[in-house]
Amino acid sequence: MKKTRRQGFLFFLTLVMVVGGLGFLLYPTASDLWNRYRNSKLVGAYTQAVQSLPPDTNKALWDQARDYNEKHRTNTIVDAFKEEEEYVLTAPYDKLLNPTGDNIMGTIEIPKIHVKLPIFHGVGEDALQRGAGHLEGTSLPIGGPSTHSVISAHRGLPSAVLFTDLDQMAQGDLFFLHILDQVFAYKVVDIQTVLPHQSEGLAIQEGRDLCTLLTCTPYGVNSHRLLVVGERTTYHPEEAPPVEEKDVAVLDTVISNWQITLGGFILLLFFLFGLWISQRRKKGKEESNNAGPKEKE
């Protein structure tokens, strides 16, 4: 009996170790998948909200954003990754380009590195843990001459990929900003690696329409900042293939049909438990048969 209990404990301990090891190995992939699923829902909700905006509301949002950029002709730069106890958005910035009231001002798509993220107001840690953030103090990302907006995101988070592959971008690559009901195309014209305090490359340049993607570098060290500078170009829809996320679509189907998924998981647990019981009974009979002749002796 003691031997059987010891074997059962060892089996349980082995099972826990295997499940824990698989969980450790699969966590980054599973977490990133969940983050992208959540972001796809945010992007979908934003798109739907924009499509349902009354024309006068849509016009007012554009007018307010353009007026803001007109009054802010010089970018005020802070380090996007400076750790602060609490990041508080200022007024009226927090109300601009905020049609859904959840601080999402648009979305960014980078086909080259398969990125599709919501753009949040500001670079607070809550925003940067989920998607991209617009660097407050820079031009709003609505295009126009003498503007320079800065979009920032993390690299190397264990829970999300985000801008991890931004170093794969090259001059001539395109990225796209979806702001309200318009799409802005930017072509990469310069790539720089600078120290956190070297912000000259983020300044507004007279007459130019710029947008810079900002993240930390080198990967895992984060001592410098990688700037991928894009200049506005004509938007051609055929040059902007949508970032398809088939695995996110599969996860959406699984979650939508959670009853079937849960039922299948429970059946699998019952099957494994039944298999374990069957093996224990079989082993018990074999031990009993082996012990019989010895008792007769």
Side-chain angles (χ1 to χ4, degrees), residues 46 49-50 53 57 61 64-65 89 92-106 119-121 179-180:
Y46 173 84
V50 168
L53 282 177
T57 302
L61 288 170
Q64 292 166 4
L89 297 172
Y93 169 79
D94 58 334
K95 303 299 182 183
L96 301 173
L97 297 178
N98 194 5
T100 58
D102 55 5
N103 290 330
I104 296 179
M105 65 169 60
I119 303 172
F120 294 92
H121 287 67
I179 309 297
L180 296 179

Side-chain angles (χ1 to χ4, degrees), residues 2-124:
K2 290 183 178 179
K3 185 177 180 181
T4 302
R5 287 180 178 176
R6 185 168 62 252
Q7 289 175 339
F9 174 75
L10 290 175
F11 174 82
F12 176 76
L13 183 62
T14 302
L15 182 63
V16 169
M17 292 176 65
V18 170
V19 172
L22 286 174
F24 178 78
L25 291 173
L26 295 176
Y27 171 75
T29 301
S31 181
D32 177 61
L33 175 59
W34 173 253
N35 190 73
R36 288 188 289 116
Y37 169 77
R38 182 178 58 184
N39 281 340
S40 71
K41 291 299 182 183
L42 290 174
V43 170
Y46 173 84
T47 302
Q48 187 174 9
V50 168
Q51 291 174 346
S52 61
L53 282 177
D56 56 339
T57 302
N58 182 68
K59 182 178 182 302
L61 288 170
W62 279 112
D63 289 343
Q64 292 166 4
R66 292 188 182 107
D67 182 62
Y68 179 89
N69 278 356
E70 284 293 327
K71 293 177 179 177
H72 293 77
R73 308 307 296 177
T74 302
N75 279 351
T76 304
I77 308 297
V78 296
D79 183 13
F81 303 105
K82 182 180 179 181
E83 294 185 4
E84 296 182 1
E85 292 185 2
E86 186 177 3
Y87 183 94
V88 180
L89 297 172
T90 61
Y93 169 79
D94 58 334
K95 303 299 182 183
L96 301 173
L97 297 178
N98 194 5
T100 58
D102 55 5
N103 290 330
I104 296 179
M105 65 169 60
T107 65
I108 180 171
E109 284 192 288
I110 314 175
K112 171 74 174 287
I113 58 174
H114 201 76
V115 161
K116 182 178 183 180
L117 297 171
I119 303 172
F120 294 92
H121 287 67
V123 289

Side-chain angles (χ1 to χ4, degrees), residues 156-211:
L157 285 184
S159 59
V161 173
L162 304 177
F163 275 6
T164 294
D165 298 325
L166 194 65
D167 61 336
Q168 298 178 18
M169 297 290 282
Q171 290 193 23
D173 289 337
L174 296 170
F175 61 90
F176 305 90
L177 305 182
H178 298 255
I179 309 297
L180 296 179
D181 57 347
Q182 294 191 32
V183 182
F184 301 92
Y186 287 86
K187 180 180 291 186
V188 177
V189 295
D190 191 21
I191 299 175
Q192 305 175 27
T193 298
V194 301
L195 290 169
H197 68 274
Q198 295 175 321
S199 59
E200 297 82 2
L202 303 178
I204 292 174
Q205 299 182 31
E206 187 64 31
R208 301 183 73 184
D209 185 339
L210 302 173
C211 178

